[in-house]
Amino acid sequence: MIELVISIVQLPFLVVGFFLATYLLFITIAPILIWKSKNEPSKEKKKKFAIIIPAHNEEKVIHATLRSAKQVSYPSDLFDVIVVADNCTDRTAKIALANGAIVFERFDSTRRGKGYVLNWIIPQVLERFPKYEACVFVDADSIVKPNFLDEMNTSLQKGHRIIQGSDLVLDNSTAWRVQLMLIAFALQNYVRPLGKSRLGFSTPLKGNGMCFAAEVLRTMKWDEASLGEDLDMGMDLIALGEKIHFNPDAIVYASMPTQADSAATQRTRWEGGRFVSMRTKVPAILRQAWKKKSLYIFEAALDAAFPPLAILLLGSAVFVFLDIVFLKLGFLGTNIFVLAWLFIIAMISIHCILGMIIARVHPRNLLAFLYVPRFLIWKLGVYGTMLFGKAGKNWVRTER
């Protein structure tokens, strides 16, 4: 009787875990099975871009971002860098002006967050500067790769109206936390979108390194109350029939905080926004997928609802431990559940190893895996703060 209860209780978790791990491995292998040649730069007339950088008290990092944006290998007369100094009390605006950027200053202490900023700046930019044919959005703590605009121009010329680039992490060989984030971003923001695009699916919006044709922006409005406004916008667009194209060669590198407190603030905001999006957006997207009988929309909902890899691994390991205990106590007469959970862990491990090869992650970052147990404990603390505290419900700037 006890064995039956144990089996019935964990069987749904096992089915879900197996499905998620299989999906993960399938999209990881897709870029290998479905090969595409590298994009050739478009020879058609080049588009005119606005590089928009929302910034709140970013005087410590924005100079490097502006320098990289101004040095892209694209005709200087075909793009401008626009900084939105949002509720800044430091030298962000002055530094931006000194580096040749067009600066908009916004002061509104009650309407804080990226959604408010985007809804405020986009109409002004499109109205005052009708020459722009597309806008790209870059975080104020990022480095833009020189070919970024060339890649976005090529994608636009091919007919794509919404493009997400590779949002990766600047390497920091002295900070294990940053190295783990580098691996996580490589898997989630490069390998998974690459596999999805090879299979014909859409990619989620990441917020950093995304590009929109001007005619699309004129019809859009971000959810101002959301902490995951980019993820929400991406799901809304997919539900409306838009496809978000992934260009793996349009790369921005984000700078990650090295201190635990700052990293926790950042992760809490990200994960809090993602969990709210899962609760409020995914059910509606699933209904749309069912109504339209659309695998394309269903896959987008699945991607949005996919649990953090750390939680999937940790949950699988916990079930392995419990099943071994049950075996030792005689509550289970077979080790089939242990083998099934180990198989799931193996599939996830293959995803990580193969994904790191596909994303060309430097081998030295493998040493960061020694800190995985510590990272999991830290991340459980972050989730505990989210579940039992107020963190993640309001926008909070990450300290540098």
Side-chain angles (χ1 to χ4, degrees):
M1 181 63 181
I2 294 178
E3 181 173 2
L4 180 61
V5 171
I6 293 173
S7 301
I8 291 174
V9 168
Q10 73 172 306
L11 189 58
F13 293 99
L14 184 61
V15 171
V16 171
F18 182 80
F19 173 74
L20 293 176
T22 302
Y23 164 80
L24 202 58
L25 188 57
F26 182 63
I27 62 174
T28 304
I29 296 173
I32 300 173
L33 299 179
I34 308 172
W35 184 83
K36 287 187 178 181
S37 60
K38 186 179 176 65
N39 281 337
E40 292 294 329
S42 175
K43 296 181 180 180
E44 298 182 42
K45 181 181 177 182
K46 292 183 179 293
K47 303 283 187 179
K48 295 182 179 179
F49 288 91
I51 302 177
I52 299 177
I53 305 174
H56 172 66
N57 288 347
E58 300 288 2
E59 65 179 6
K60 295 180 181 179
V61 294
I62 198 168
H63 176 74
T65 303
L66 292 169
R67 183 174 57 200
S68 70
K70 296 292 287 187
Q71 292 178 350
V72 294
S73 56
Y74 201 75
S76 59
D77 60 328
L78 292 181
F79 75 94
D80 292 310
V81 178
I82 299 174
V83 172
V84 189
D86 181 50
N87 289 300
C88 289
T89 57
D90 65 354
R91 299 177 58 250
T92 295
K94 292 181 179 179
I95 293 172
L97 283 171
N99 281 271
I102 299 171
V103 177
F104 287 77
E105 290 191 85
R106 175 182 179 270
F107 296 97
D108 189 335
S109 59
T110 61
R111 296 161 61 86
R112 302 174 68 243
K114 190 176 178 181
Y116 289 114
V117 176
L118 295 179
N119 287 334
W120 181 82
I121 188 60
I122 290 171
Q124 295 187 70
V125 168
L126 296 180
E127 181 179 349
R128 292 178 57 179
F129 306 102
K131 63 180 181 179
Y132 298 135
E133 297 168 88
C135 296
V136 299
F137 297 86
V138 175
D139 288 348
D141 59 353
S142 300
I143 300 299
V144 182
K145 198 171 179 181
N147 67 334
F148 182 80
L149 288 185
D150 284 306
E151 288 294 334
M152 289 301 183
N153 179 68
T154 298
S155 293
L156 288 167
Q157 296 289 10
K158 288 185 175 181
H160 301 294
R161 306 200 310 161
I162 309 169
I163 308 111
Q164 174 64 56
S166 296
D167 178 18
L168 303 178
V169 170
L170 280 172
D171 201 350
N172 185 336
S173 59
T174 63
W176 65 267
R177 200 183 308 275
V178 175
Q179 288 176 302
L180 283 176
M181 289 300 296
L182 183 150
I183 295 170
F185 269 53
L187 295 175
Q188 186 166 341
N189 293 356
Y190 182 88
V191 176
R192 281 168 60 175
L194 184 62
K196 285 156 58 71
S197 68
R198 295 289 169 85
L199 294 167
F201 295 122
S202 185
T203 188
L205 289 177
K206 303 295 182 180
N208 194 18
M210 54 188 186
C211 173
F212 299 87
E215 67 267 18
V216 176
L217 282 176
R218 291 188 175 93
T219 66
M220 293 169 50
K221 183 176 177 62
W222 267 263
D223 185 347
E224 297 174 336
S226 173
L227 292 178
E229 67 288 322
D230 303 307
L231 177 61
D232 288 352
M233 177 59 75
M235 286 192 285
D236 288 342
L237 289 169
I238 291 170
L240 292 172
E242 290 282 358
K243 182 175 182 178
I244 303 170
H245 174 69
F246 178 62
N247 186 324
D249 298 314
I251 301 174
V252 291
Y253 294 100
S255 175
M256 291 290 128
T258 58
Q259 299 301 314
D261 290 345
S262 298
T265 299
Q266 186 180 68
R267 295 303 301 179
T268 300
R269 187 178 74 245
W270 288 351
E271 299 289 1
R274 198 172 70 85
F275 285 149
V276 171
S277 297
M278 286 170 57
R279 188 178 70 249
T280 59
K281 292 289 184 180
V282 170
I285 300 298
L286 286 173
R287 287 194 294 271
Q288 282 285 330
W290 176 259
K291 181 180 179 181
K292 297 181 179 180
K293 302 296 186 290
S294 172
L295 178 62
Y296 175 79
I297 298 177
F298 172 77
E299 192 282 331
L302 174 62
D303 185 89
F306 202 94
L309 204 57
I311 296 300
L312 190 56
L313 270 174
L314 185 61
S316 301
V318 167
F319 274 111
V320 169
F321 173 78
L322 291 176
D323 285 336
I324 291 175
V325 171
F326 292 147
L327 279 169
K328 295 294 184 181
L329 294 175
F331 294 150
L332 281 176
T334 175
N335 63 356
I336 187 66
F337 285 113
V338 173
L339 295 176
W341 284 113
L342 287 175
F343 185 67
I344 290 172
I345 292 173
M347 285 196 288
I348 298 172
S349 300
I350 293 172
H351 157 70
C352 293
I353 295 169
L354 190 58
M356 289 177 66
I357 295 172
I358 293 171
R360 298 180 294 278
V361 174
H362 197 285
R364 69 166 175 269
N365 290 298
L366 287 170
L367 294 174
F369 281 113
L370 296 174
Y371 294 92
V372 166
R374 181 177 172 183
F375 176 78
L376 289 176
I377 294 172
W378 170 80
K379 198 160 187 181
L380 285 175
V382 172
Y383 290 134
T385 302
M386 288 170 47
L387 291 173
F388 302 110
K390 295 182 178 179
K393 297 179 181 179
N394 298 296
W395 184 89
V396 179
R397 178 185 177 274
T398 301
E399 294 298 330
R400 309 291 175 189

